Amino acid sequence: MHLYNLTLSRPTGIQSAVYGNFSGPKAQELVVSRGKVLELLRPNENGKLQTIVATEVFGAIRSVAAFRMTGAQTDYIIVGSDSGRIVILKYHKDKNTFQKVHQETFGRSGCRRIVPGQHLAVDPKGRACMISAIEKQKFVYILNRDSAANLTISSPLEAHKSHNLAFTTVGLDCGFDNPIFAAIELDYSDADQDPTGEAASMAQKHLTFYELDLGLNHVSEYGDIYKVTLGYDGETVQEVKVKVFDTIPPCTSICVLKTGFLFAASEFGNHSLYQFVGTGEDEDDVESSSAELVQTEDGFQPVFFDPRSLKNLVLVDELSSLMPITDMKIPQIYSLCGRGPRSTLAVMRPGLAVTELAVSPLPGNPTAVWTVKRAVDDEFDAYIVVSFTNATLVFSIGEEVKETNDSGFLGTVPTLHAQLLSDSSMLQLLSDSSMLQVAIALAGGEVVYFELDAMGQLLEMQKSEMSEDVSCMDIAPVPEGRARCRFLALGSYDSTVKILSLDPGDELKVLALQAIPAVPESALMLYDSGVAGVASGEGPGGLFLHVGLTNGVLMRTEVDRLSGQLSDSRSRFLGTRGPKLFSTNVRGTRSMLALSSRPWLGHSDMGRFSIGPLSYEALDHASVIGPLFVEALEGPASGSAGQVHGDEDGFASDQCPEGFVAVVKNTLRILTVENVGETFNQQVTRLRYTPRKLLIHPEFNTLVIAESDHGAIPLAEREDLAERAKQEGVALQGPEFDEETAALEEQFGSPCGQAGQWACCLRLVEPTSLSTVFVTEMDNNETVTSMCMATFNAFPGEHLLCVGTAQGMKYFPTDCDAAFLRVYRMLDDGKRLELLHRTAIDISNAVPGAMEGFKGRLLVGVGGVMRIYEMGKKKMLRKCEYKRLPHSIMSIQVQGSRIIVGDSQESVHMMRYKKGENALYIFADDTAPRFTTAVLPLDYNTIACADKFGNVAVLRLPPDVSAAVDEDPTGGKLAIALGKLGGAPNKLEPINNFHVGDTITSMQRASLQPGGQEVIIYATVMGSIGALYPFTSREDVDFFTHLEMHLRQEGPPLCGRDHMSYRSSYFPVKDCVDGDLCAQFPTLPPAKQKSIAEELDRTTGEVLKKLEDIQNKIL
C-alpha cells in the first residue's frame, strides 16, 4: 500500500511571532511560526488579519526574530530550526514568497539540548544576532553588507558556558555602542555534584549580560545582575515601578505594531489582535514601586490587585485556533480543542463560512438581482435591483436596506439587466446592456456587438450569425492599462464554446473553438494574478474561461492572452444543477461565485486559484456588476454580456465591504464570506474544563464529552458562582452558560485549586445545535481517564456508557489513590444520564487508560493489566485478566475476534481471547518501541498507529501468519510457547512509515465528500487536520514518487533541513509521498516547472492537473 500525505488545514497554534516591515517601509506585518509552517500576516484597513503567504519549511521552527540593517527600509527574518543551521530569509513581494538570503551550518540536525536554535536575540541596530541552545552553547554572528550591498554574515563567535541552562535571550538597545545581549540562565554545576538534592532546591536564575566587542570580535561576560530598576538619576537607574495595564490570556508571543495594535499569540485558544485605547495612566490602577517594598520574614510583601475587564485595550479581531486537538470523531469532524476555560467543542465542515447580514422576505420569487453604485468612483453600492416576472423592486442601501421609489428605475416592467455606465449614468435594460462593451445574443444565434462612445451613445460595431442558439456569453475584464477587452466567450447549445475577437477591425471573429461534454449553462472569464495581493489582470498570471455545464460540471480552460487560443482544460463536479457563474469581489480581486446544488467560491489564495464550497443552502441567484447573460422573455436564447473593471464586482456597503446579495426562493439575503482561504469552517461551543474524550452515541447521535482539569476548583466549591447565582435567584450552573462570566474566565482564567485537586464533568451535547442537554460533575476528586459505549447481555440492544475514573491522580509517574468503573444509562432519547453502579478497581496505583466493548462484555486496560468485566446487578464482575503487557494500555480496539492493544511505550499488540480456557494471549506485536498516541484498525490484518514524536506507521500481519493464527488448533498454547525474547511469536510488518512533524492525537477513517474514497483523517496537537490517501493505481504512485524526488532537488526546504532526513526523523520514510512538498510545485519558477514536467514526460499543465485531481479526490 502506498499513501499520499496531504495537510488539509494548516496548524492553528502559534509558537512565536515577530513584528516588522517585511514587504515595504510602511507595511505593518507579522511573521508567525506554526510548528513547521512560516506565515506572513497583515491587518487590512478594517483591522482584520489576513494571511499573505504560508510556507511549509519541512522542519521544526524553534525560534524566529526580525532585524533590519542600518539604512534599510525592510526587515529580514532569522529562523532557528532543527536543521542545525541559522537561516536568514527575506520576503519577496513580487513573487509572494520567502527567499533564503543566507544559511550557515553550526551543528547537528534535530532538536537537541546543546545545539543552538532554541533562542534567538537580535541587536536592535541589526549589527549582530545571538542564537542559543537550551544548555551550554551560544553563537554570535556579526551581520554586515558587502560592496554590492548584499547581506553577509561572519563566522560564529562562541559564548559557551557549561553547566548552564538558558531560559530566554534578548538584545539590548545600546545605540551604536558594542551590542549587548541579556540572558536568563541557571547554573546547575553545584546541583550536579550534590547527591542530596539540596543544591538543586537552592539554585536560582541569574540575569547575565554578554557584550560583543566589534573591534576585537569576541564576547565578554558582564556578570550576574539580580536587580533591575527603571527610575533614573542621571545615568543611574534608581527605581522600578510596576503598574497594572491590562489582562489578556497567556501568550507565547506579543507584538506591538506602530499603528497602535497589539497582536497576542495565545498559548491555547484564539489568537487576538487588540487596539490601544489608553496608555495605562489611570491613577486608580494598582502601582508597585521598588522603593516602597516592605521586607518580611518570607521575603518582600506582595502587592495584590483585582482582575478587571479590558481598559487600555479593545479586541479588534481574532484568529481561530484549535490548538490542541485532544480528540476527534467522524462523520462530521467533531474536535475537542483548547485547555481550561478556553476549551471548545468545534464542528468542522469542508467549505467557507458564510455570515448572514440581512434577510428580507419578498412578495414573490425573483428572477434576478443586481447591485448598482450611484457613480463610478463610489466605494460602496447604492441600490439593490430585484427583478420579478412582471415588475422590478429597488432597495436603497444605507444604515438599513429599504425599498425606494426615487432611484429612477422603472418598476412596472421586468428588468433583464441593470448596470452603471462609465459616465456614472445608471442603465436599466428591458432588452440588455453593460458598461463600455456590450454583446447581445438574439434568438436564432445572432450576436450584436456595441461600444459606448464618449458622448454616452451605444454604437453598433458588428453583427454575426452563429450556427446555433447562444446559451451563455461573457466578456473578459479589461486589463490594467487597456481601454477595452479583447475577447468575448460564447457558449452554444451544440455543446461548444468559442472565443471571439473584439479588436477593432476583427470584431466577432472566431479565434478558438472547443467541444465540451454538455450544454454550457453559464460562462465567466477571470484573470489569475499569479501573486497574492495583486489585482486581477495586473500580475503575470493568465486569463481563464470558466464554463458551468448542465450536467453539474465546472470547466476551467486557459485563454492565451495574445491569440485567444484555448488550452489546459480542467473540470470538477460541483453538484446536480448546472452551475450559474457570477463575478464577485474577494480581497480586492475579481473572483467567481458558482451556484449549483450548493454554492461555491473560486478565488485566488496566495497566488493560486482555489475553489471551495460555501457552507450555506443552495442559492437561486446572486448579485453581479458586469458580465451577465440573462434569458430574454421572448425566446430561449436571447440575452447579453458585458464587462466591468475588476474592482467593481460583487456587493459592497459601509457595513459590508465585501459580500454579495443573493436570492433564495422568495427571500433577499445579504451575505459575506468569512475566513477566505481556510479549508474548513467551524461552529464552536464553550466547555467548562479541558476536554479529554469524545464519544458519539450510535443510536441517538448524542455527543458525550469528558472534561477535567488538574489544580482546578469543582463547580460545587466555586463560592463566586454560588454567590452570583444566589443574588440572581437561579440555580448554580457552569460559567460556560453565562456569556459575561465565560468571557471573563477566558480573559483571566478560572480560580486555581490545590495540587492533586481535580474538577471533572460529563457532558451531553445535541450535535445539530451544539447545545448542552445534560452535564454532571464527578465527585470524590475523581477524573475521567477513559470511556466507551458498550452493549451487555443484561441490557440487550442498549448502548451503555462505561467510564473509567481515577481518584487523586498524579503525574510523573502516573499514579492515583483509587480507580473506579462507572456505568451510565442514557435516558430521554440521549438527553440524560443515570448512574447504574460504581465499581472499585483493586489494582493499586493503576489508572484505567482504555476500555472497549467485547462480545457483550467490557475490556478494560488498567496500567499494564488487561481485564474482561461482565455486567452485574450491583457492580462490574471481573471474569478474566492478563498481566504481561509491558507498560500502560492507552487504547483498545476490537476487530472481529481480535483485540488490538496500544501501549504507551511499546507500540501495538494483537491479542485473542480463548473462551474455553477463559484466557487472553498475545499472538503478534511490533518490532519498534513506539510511544503510541493513536491507533486505528484499517482491516482485519492492518493497523495504523501514531506516536508522540510525530510519526505515523501502517503495520500489517502477514497473510500466512494471520491464517495460521485463526486456524491454530492449540487455542494459543503454541503461540505462548514460541514467544521470542519475552515478546510475541509473530511480528507486525511496517508497510508505511512517515514523519508528520506534529503529535497526532486522533485518527479516523472517513470520506469527506459524497461518493469519495475513504482516507485516514488525523488531528494534531498544533491544531492541524491532515489526510493519508491510499493510491489506487501504480501509475499515480510512480508519477508522484518521481515528482517528489525532483522537488527535493529543485525546491529544497526553506530552513535548510534535508527533506528526506526530516520525513525520516525516527524511521526511514517508506511508501508515503509527501503531498505538502508536491503542492509546492506551482510556486517554483516557470523554467523549473517546465524542466521537471519534461523529466516526467508531461507538460506543466498536466502536472498541475494531476495535483488538483488528487486534492479533489480527498476534499
Side-chain angles (χ1 to χ4, degrees):
M1 182 170 70
H2 291 75
L3 299 174
Y4 183 83
N5 176 77
L6 183 65
T7 300
L8 302 181
S9 178
R10 294 189 300 269
T12 53
I14 295 178
Q15 293 176 317
S16 58
V18 294
Y19 159 77
N21 311 119
F22 303 105
S23 62
K26 296 184 179 180
Q28 306 296 312
E29 294 162 329
L30 301 164
V31 169
V32 300
S33 67
R34 302 181 185 266
K36 54 182 181 174
V37 175
L38 198 64
E39 194 167 321
L40 177 66
L41 303 175
R42 182 188 301 154
N44 64 9
E45 62 275 5
N46 299 313
K48 299 291 184 181
L49 286 170
Q50 295 182 349
T51 299
I52 305 303
V53 63
T55 303
E56 169 88 45
V57 302
F58 303 103
I61 301 174
R62 304 173 69 185
S63 54
V64 179
F67 78 96
R68 179 181 302 190
M69 301 292 292
T70 303
Q73 294 185 327
T74 57
D75 294 319
Y76 292 90
I77 306 158
I78 303 181
V79 181
S81 66
D82 63 346
S83 63
R85 295 164 170 169
I86 184 171
V87 176
I88 299 178
L89 307 175
K90 185 176 182 179
Y91 174 67
H92 197 295
K93 182 179 179 180
D94 295 335
K95 297 181 179 179
N96 192 42
T97 57
F98 292 111
Q99 290 191 338
K100 190 185 303 181
V101 178
H102 200 90
Q103 173 178 295
E104 185 81 15
T105 304
F106 53 72
R108 300 175 62 188
S109 62
C111 295
R112 305 173 189 272
R113 193 173 62 178
I114 62 171
V115 175
Q118 186 67 28
H119 306 296
L120 261 177
V122 177
D123 172 51
K125 299 300 181 183
R127 298 170 296 171
C129 69
M130 172 184 280
I131 185 166
S132 311
I134 297 175
E135 181 181 353
K136 184 181 178 180
Q137 292 192 7
K138 296 181 184 69
F139 287 119
V140 177
Y141 291 89
I142 299 176
L143 307 170
N144 214 326
R145 291 193 183 97
D146 59 14
S147 57
N150 296 318
L151 176 70
T152 62
I153 187 170
S154 70
S155 298
L157 306 174
E158 297 182 357
H160 302 336
K161 288 181 65 179
S162 61
H163 299 90
N164 264 265
L165 299 177
F167 292 89
T168 187
T169 58
V170 68
L172 303 184
D173 191 350
C174 302
F176 288 96
D177 292 340
N178 286 338
I180 296 179
F181 299 95
I184 296 179
E185 300 177 338
L186 187 146
D187 189 335
Y188 66 88
S189 55
D190 293 338
D192 254 7
Q193 306 299 324
D194 181 15
T196 65
E198 183 178 350
S201 63
M202 299 296 292
Q204 294 186 0
K205 297 177 183 177
H206 294 171
L207 178 63
T208 308
F209 288 103
Y210 296 87
E211 180 187 10
L212 171 63
D213 192 324
L214 293 175
L216 300 176
N217 275 355
H218 71 274
V219 182
S220 59
E221 183 179 342
Y222 264 6
D224 296 330
I225 308 297
Y226 298 97
K227 184 175 72 171
V228 179
T229 58
L230 298 178
Y232 284 88
D233 181 7
E235 294 185 356
T236 305
V237 179
Q238 295 292 341
E239 185 183 14
V240 170
K241 288 186 178 181
V242 178
K243 195 171 188 178
V244 177
F245 187 78
D246 258 332
T247 304
I248 61 175
C251 302
T252 58
S253 292
I254 290 180
C255 300
V256 178
L257 282 65
K258 293 181 180 178
T259 50
F261 292 98
L262 181 143
F263 176 71
S266 300
E267 286 186 350
F268 304 98
N270 295 345
H271 314 296
S272 303
L273 182 68
Y274 299 94
Q275 186 172 16
F276 288 96
V277 293
T279 57
E281 299 297 330
D282 193 337
E283 296 181 357
D284 295 335
D285 289 338
V286 176
E287 184 180 66
S288 175
S289 170
S290 59
E292 301 174 358
L293 291 178
V294 179
Q295 182 76 34
T296 65
E297 294 180 356
D298 299 326
F300 289 107
Q301 182 177 342
V303 177
F304 298 98
F305 68 94
D306 293 325
R308 53 167 170 75
S309 57
L310 295 176
K311 178 186 291 186
N312 300 300
L313 297 173
V314 61
L315 183 63
V316 175
D317 190 25
E318 283 189 329
L319 287 179
S320 64
S321 174
L322 302 176
M323 176 186 179
I325 299 179
T326 57
D327 201 1
M328 176 187 68
K329 289 293 184 291
I330 301 292
Q332 295 190 67
I333 301 180
Y334 295 99
S335 57
L336 302 180
C337 315
R339 191 182 73 171
R342 310 196 80 200
S343 302
T344 58
L345 165 67
V347 183
M348 305 177 66
R349 301 178 179 90
L352 299 173
V354 176
T355 302
E356 282 186 353
L357 299 181
V359 178
S360 176
L362 296 174
N365 292 342
T367 58
V369 61
W370 301 270
T371 55
V372 182
K373 298 178 181 179
R374 281 195 179 90
V376 171
D377 297 332
D378 286 354
E379 183 179 0
F380 302 124
D381 293 301
Y383 299 107
I384 299 174
V385 182
V386 184
S387 176
F388 298 86
T389 56
N390 58 357
T392 297
L393 283 181
V394 182
F395 297 87
S396 64
I397 304 171
E399 294 184 358
E400 59 181 0
V401 178
K402 59 183 179 180
E403 186 177 350
T404 181
N405 295 319
D406 58 358
S407 63
F409 286 91
L410 185 62
T412 58
V413 295
T415 301
L416 297 180
H417 192 60
Q419 181 60 57
L420 185 72
L421 299 181
S422 60
D423 59 355
S424 296
S425 61
M426 289 178 286
L427 189 62
Q428 180 186 15
L429 298 180
L430 308 181
S431 297
D432 219 350
S433 179
S434 188
M435 189 172 182
L436 288 176
Q437 296 167 278
V438 179
I440 299 178
L442 304 177
E446 185 178 8
V447 177
V448 185
Y449 172 59
F450 299 86
E451 285 190 5
L452 188 70
D453 67 3
M455 303 299 295
Q457 301 293 322
L458 278 176
L459 303 179
E460 181 180 326
M461 307 301 294
Q462 186 60 269
K463 183 185 296 184
S464 179
E465 291 283 345
M466 299 292 118
S467 57
E468 289 286 339
D469 281 350
V470 176
S471 61
C472 61
M473 58 197 308
D474 186 59
I475 293 179
V478 177
E480 185 72 17
R482 295 183 63 92
R484 61 165 56 83
C485 176
R486 299 185 57 223
F487 303 120
L488 166 68
L490 185 146
S492 303
Y493 281 99
D494 60 354
S495 300
T496 61
V497 291
K498 302 180 182 70
I499 298 296
L500 307 182
S501 172
L502 298 181
D503 286 340
D506 289 331
E507 290 95 343
L508 302 186
K509 177 184 177 181
V510 178
L511 301 178
L513 183 145
Q514 182 181 27
I516 52 179
V519 175
E521 172 86 13
S522 181
L524 181 67
M525 300 180 79
L526 294 177
Y527 280 102
D528 185 5
S529 67
V531 178
V534 178
S536 300
E538 298 180 10
L543 175 63
F544 289 86
L545 169 64
H546 301 79
V547 181
L549 309 183
T550 54
N551 59 2
V553 172
L554 173 69
M555 291 191 62
R556 185 171 190 255
T557 305
E558 185 170 3
V559 182
D560 190 283
R561 297 176 71 163
L562 298 178
S563 65
Q565 295 298 307
L566 299 173
S567 62
D568 189 18
S569 294
R570 307 173 197 177
S571 60
R572 180 167 184 177
F573 181 73
L574 299 188
T576 55
R577 285 167 33 187
K580 297 179 181 178
L581 308 181
F582 304 92
S583 62
T584 186
N585 202 24
V586 175
R587 292 184 178 176
T589 61
R590 193 170 189 256
S591 304
M592 176 186 68
L593 185 66
L595 306 185
S596 182
S597 52
R598 67 182 302 186
W600 296 71
L601 182 68
H603 63 285
S604 179
D605 181 23
M606 290 185 287
R608 286 172 282 179
F609 184 78
S610 173
I611 181 169
L614 301 181
S615 292
Y616 200 74
E617 60 182 303
L619 304 177
D620 298 328
H621 207 83
S623 72
V624 60
I625 298 178
L628 181 67
F629 173 81
V630 183
E631 287 190 2
L633 301 178
E634 63 270 22
S638 176
S640 77
Q643 65 82 173
V644 292
H645 294 288
D647 60 352
E648 295 178 347
D649 296 295
F651 167 74
S653 72
D654 194 11
Q655 291 79 23
C656 176
E658 286 188 353
F660 51 91
V661 177
V663 170
V664 181
K665 297 180 180 178
N666 64 340
T667 60
L668 180 70
R669 309 186 184 191
I670 299 178
L671 309 174
T672 183
V673 179
E674 302 288 345
N675 302 324
V676 175
E678 294 186 0
T679 307
F680 300 95
N681 70 87
Q682 304 171 21
Q683 180 186 0
V684 300
T685 186
R686 288 189 175 104
L687 302 177
R688 187 176 304 172
Y689 309 121
T690 302
R692 307 288 180 170
K693 302 290 181 182
L694 172 65
L695 295 175
I696 302 178
H697 194 280
E699 181 181 354
F700 305 125
N701 292 328
T702 304
L703 306 181
V704 184
I705 303 173
E707 310 167 31
S708 63
D709 271 327
H710 178 254
I713 301 176
L715 180 64
E717 301 177 20
R718 289 284 301 271
E719 297 179 359
D720 56 334
L721 297 180
E723 180 65 24
R724 182 169 181 172
K726 183 178 179 181
Q727 292 176 357
E728 296 177 356
V730 297
L732 178 64
Q733 60 179 3
E736 72 275 17
F737 296 110
D738 183 81
E739 187 69 27
E740 182 181 351
T741 305
L744 289 176
E745 294 218 349
E746 283 187 10
Q747 181 184 354
F748 309 133
S750 55
C752 295
Q754 300 176 354
Q757 184 179 17
W758 285 87
C760 179
C761 70
L762 286 175
R763 184 186 304 269
L764 301 183
V765 176
E766 199 278 322
T768 305
S769 62
L770 293 189
S771 59
T772 298
V773 295
F774 181 83
V775 62
T776 179
E777 289 262 334
M778 290 289 173
D779 53 6
N780 301 319
N781 199 30
E782 293 182 34
T783 179
V784 175
T785 57
S786 59
M787 64 179 185
C788 74
M789 290 290 180
T791 58
F792 295 93
N793 298 328
F795 293 84
E798 186 174 354
H799 290 84
L800 302 182
L801 175 62
C802 302
V803 179
T805 65
Q807 187 180 60
M809 189 171 70
K810 297 178 281 293
Y811 294 107
F812 305 112
T814 302
D815 191 6
C816 65
D817 300 332
F820 302 92
L821 291 180
R822 293 172 176 246
V823 181
Y824 292 88
R825 191 176 188 179
M826 277 202 174
L827 304 175
D828 301 338
D829 294 332
K831 293 181 173 58
R832 187 163 61 88
L833 288 177
E834 179 187 53
L835 178 63
L836 295 180
H837 48 61
R838 175 171 172 264
T839 306
I841 299 176
D842 55 349
I843 301 178
S844 60
N845 304 326
V847 172
M851 54 180 59
E852 184 68 19
F854 179 69
K855 297 182 178 181
R857 296 181 172 184
L858 182 67
L859 288 167
V860 181
V862 186
V865 178
M866 174 71 80
R867 284 183 172 180
I868 297 180
Y869 282 88
E870 191 168 339
M871 174 68 74
K873 290 185 178 180
K874 295 185 178 181
K875 67 176 184 178
M876 300 294 290
L877 307 175
R878 176 162 53 108
K879 294 297 182 181
C880 179
E881 185 175 83
Y882 184 85
K883 297 183 177 180
R884 287 181 287 178
L885 284 162
H887 291 282
S888 60
I889 300 170
M890 56 75 53
S891 74
I892 301 174
Q893 308 281 344
V894 174
Q895 194 79 351
S897 61
R898 295 178 178 176
I899 304 167
I900 301 168
V901 180
D903 189 87
S904 62
Q905 297 184 31
E906 292 294 337
S907 191
V908 177
H909 304 263
M910 300 186 78
M911 304 180 70
R912 285 178 67 94
Y913 173 67
K914 297 183 290 184
K915 185 175 180 180
E917 300 181 15
N918 190 31
L920 292 163
Y921 69 96
I922 298 176
F923 66 87
D925 61 9
D926 191 8
T927 57
R930 307 177 195 271
F931 286 61
T932 314
T933 57
V935 176
L936 176 67
L938 301 180
D939 59 34
Y940 193 58
N941 296 324
T942 312
I943 308 163
C945 66
D947 64 33
K948 72 176 185 178
F949 300 110
N951 304 300
V952 61
V954 178
L955 311 174
R956 177 171 289 168
L957 189 67
D960 54 336
V961 175
S962 176
V965 169
D966 290 342
E967 299 169 1
D968 184 3
T970 66
K973 293 182 179 179
L974 183 61
I976 298 173
L978 296 178
K980 302 173 183 177
L981 299 176
N986 306 301
K987 298 298 176 183
L988 297 168
E989 297 178 352
I991 59 175
N992 301 99
N993 276 322
F994 190 77
H995 179 67
V996 174
D998 195 358
T999 303
I1000 294 176
T1001 56
S1002 180
M1003 292 192 295
Q1004 299 287 323
R1005 289 175 55 182
S1007 173
L1008 295 181
Q1009 55 183 338
Q1013 183 175 343
E1014 268 197 340
V1015 296
I1016 301 173
I1017 306 296
Y1018 61 81
T1020 70
V1021 165
M1022 283 294 293
S1024 69
I1025 304 290
L1028 291 166
Y1029 169 83
F1031 284 111
T1032 56
S1033 69
R1034 187 70 202 181
E1035 178 190 357
D1036 285 347
V1037 173
D1038 293 340
F1039 172 81
F1040 285 102
T1041 301
H1042 284 85
L1043 176 61
E1044 180 187 38
M1045 179 185 67
H1046 286 293
L1047 286 170
R1048 283 177 181 150
Q1049 302 299 322
E1050 301 294 338
L1054 196 62
C1055 289
R1057 188 79 152 102
D1058 180 76
H1059 178 268
M1060 176 70 80
S1061 173
Y1062 172 67
R1063 292 304 189 191
S1064 306
S1065 293
Y1066 294 84
F1067 301 94
V1069 61
K1070 182 177 182 182
D1071 293 342
C1072 189
V1073 176
D1074 188 355
D1076 294 336
L1077 178 63
C1078 294
Q1080 293 194 354
F1081 176 81
T1083 65
L1084 296 178
K1088 284 190 177 182
Q1089 292 185 27
K1090 184 178 180 182
S1091 173
I1092 293 175
E1094 290 175 349
E1095 291 288 337
L1096 298 172
D1097 294 328
R1098 310 261 181 157
T1099 65
T1100 302
E1102 290 173 340
V1103 175
L1104 294 172
K1105 186 176 180 181
K1106 291 283 286 185
L1107 290 170
E1108 284 186 9
D1109 288 345
I1110 196 168
Q1111 184 170 357
N1112 293 340
K1113 289 177 182 178
I1114 299 174
L1115 193 63

